[in-house]
Amino acid sequence: MSSACPHAIAIDPMVGDLAGETARLREAGALTRIELLGVPAWTVTDHQLARRLLTDTRLVKDINSWGLWTSGVVTRQWPLIGMIDAGRSMFTVDGAEHRRLRIKTTQALTPRRLEALRPSIERLTKELLDDLAEAGRDGAVVDLKQVFAYPLPMRVISELMGVERSDQAMLLEWYKKFFSMVTPQDERLQIIEDMHVYFTEMVRRKTAAPGDDLTSALILADEGGEPLTEEEVVGNLKALVAAGHETTVSLILNAVRALLTRPEQLAKVRGGDVEWKQAIEETLRYDGPVIHLLMRFATEDITLGDTVIEKGEGVVISYRAVGRDTAIHGEDADEFDVTRPTASRNISFGYGPHICPGAALARLEAAIGLPALFDRFPGLRLAVPPEEITNLPVLTQNDVAAFPIHLS
């Protein structure tokens, strides 16, 4: 697109060198220009600046505040548009409307209610570990992602939202193609339409016959303000199912990779010298589920030192770069260390009003799934050199293509 900035760092849609890209962004400064498939934006790589901007009310989620969109420079043919122009939900509005759309979800995901989900997550984990054992019999190579890390969070979020088990494989395939940068845009737009139809029909079924699930709770919620519209319930549902499985897949796999390639640290965790919670937080900091989060838009000029984010410009938070901030995590921030005292200060699930509502659920699934995996298969090992575990061409999520392992 003609709007591209010649001095911006081009973000690689194929994610060929994630470590190198992260280093370049950090070297460029706390706030720097990037190019996303021909579209210019600002990105934030500094922990404190990210916290500041994520709570700045002059930056909003409304796509109609984006100059490149309202001017027609960016259209529906831009491959990333579905992540920004995603319909009305708690993920795309701000202020009082955001609070209204979010409150029922956060009430359903309180620590007490999440703890009530523990037996269900433990049951699903055991089922999938049984599948893993069967797939890896007699020393066979098995894909940990496909058999365990991929289906676990989808089954959990689907039970929570009331999605039928028979539909989960279809949804996984839809979301995989939606996020992939190699999916033709016409096909991606059709997937967006198919998902909208699917979730709208699901909401209408549950409106007629509510069940004991979060979708029904969102439909029925009317206390404390105006009820959610069908469009708003559908928007929340689509985004929750996406965020509720994608982040956890990456969290589990990135933790396993970090620990298998650092056996002395794995020994500390398995031996009880370091809690699993600490290993999970260090994974979130060092190699979290989100690479870049799209996008907020300036409703007025925002001056930051000598730099001005002009009204109508877009701002991306580069969470992977933020997690490597040496001012917060020390000069060895590019190293994985389960004993790092600052690990829990990570903001990998966001910060401020739009912090991911499913963050605690993802942490719970990892806290159940990871120790169960290593307890069941203490001899778990990679079946390929670590460098052969490559990322999918997904610009926003830190998602690997496959994770081949031996169980012993």
Side-chain angles (χ1 to χ4, degrees), residues 279-293:
I280 290 167
E281 293 305 314
E282 177 65 354
T283 302
L284 288 169
R285 178 205 72 81
Y286 171 78
D287 201 16
V290 176
I291 304 173
H292 310 287
L293 189 66

Side-chain angles (χ1 to χ4, degrees), residues 30-245:
L31 182 69
T32 191
R33 297 290 279 179
I34 60 172
E35 181 185 307
L36 299 166
L37 304 180
V39 171
W42 292 99
T43 196
V44 183
T45 66
D46 176 89
H47 180 100
Q48 296 292 6
L49 181 59
R51 284 167 54 112
R52 175 180 170 183
L53 291 178
L54 287 168
T55 55
D56 193 321
T57 57
R58 296 171 296 176
L59 285 171
V60 301
K61 304 281 280 185
D62 182 5
I63 192 173
N64 293 307
S65 295
W66 190 16
L68 294 177
W69 174 255
T70 56
S71 67
V73 173
V74 172
T75 70
R76 293 286 293 173
Q77 289 303 311
W78 188 52
L80 298 172
I81 196 63
M83 300 180 196
I84 301 172
D85 185 26
R88 183 175 174 79
S89 75
M90 63 181 171
F91 296 88
T92 59
V93 298
D94 297 280
E97 280 297 276
H98 171 255
R99 290 189 292 274
R100 183 179 74 85
L101 294 178
R102 183 182 172 103
I103 187 168
K104 279 299 159 186
T105 302
T106 55
Q107 288 175 355
L109 296 175
T110 61
R112 179 179 61 82
R113 294 193 179 191
L114 282 175
E115 192 59 30
L117 288 173
R118 180 180 290 273
S120 177
I121 298 173
E122 290 173 342
R123 170 179 55 81
L124 293 170
T125 297
K126 183 180 183 305
E127 290 177 6
L128 290 169
L129 291 177
D130 289 344
D131 293 344
L132 195 62
E134 180 63 26
R137 287 176 60 185
D138 301 322
V141 175
V142 58
D143 185 353
L144 183 65
K145 176 181 179 179
Q146 196 64 33
V147 182
F148 180 71
Y150 206 33
L152 175 61
M154 176 56 84
R155 290 187 186 181
V156 172
I157 196 67
S158 293
E159 284 201 5
L160 181 65
M161 303 305 297
V163 174
E164 295 293 335
R165 173 75 71 93
S166 59
D167 293 337
Q168 291 171 20
M170 175 186 69
L171 289 173
L172 282 169
E173 187 65 17
W174 276 351
Y175 280 113
K176 177 182 177 180
K177 290 182 177 180
F178 170 77
F179 285 114
S180 174
M181 289 296 97
V182 299
T183 302
Q185 183 63 0
D186 287 347
E187 183 179 355
R188 182 181 289 106
L189 291 174
Q190 184 59 55
I191 289 169
I192 292 170
E193 177 60 25
D194 291 342
M195 285 195 289
H196 179 76
V197 170
Y198 172 84
F199 285 116
T200 299
E201 290 176 351
M202 177 177 160
V203 168
R204 288 175 180 172
R205 287 197 307 272
K206 290 185 178 297
T207 300
D212 183 19
D213 53 67
L214 180 52
T215 302
S216 297
L218 291 172
I219 293 167
L220 297 172
D222 59 1
E223 63 269 29
E226 181 184 353
L228 274 61
T229 66
E230 178 181 272
E231 177 192 7
E232 291 167 344
V233 176
V234 169
N236 276 1
L237 178 55
K238 284 191 293 186
L240 282 167
V241 173
H245 81 276

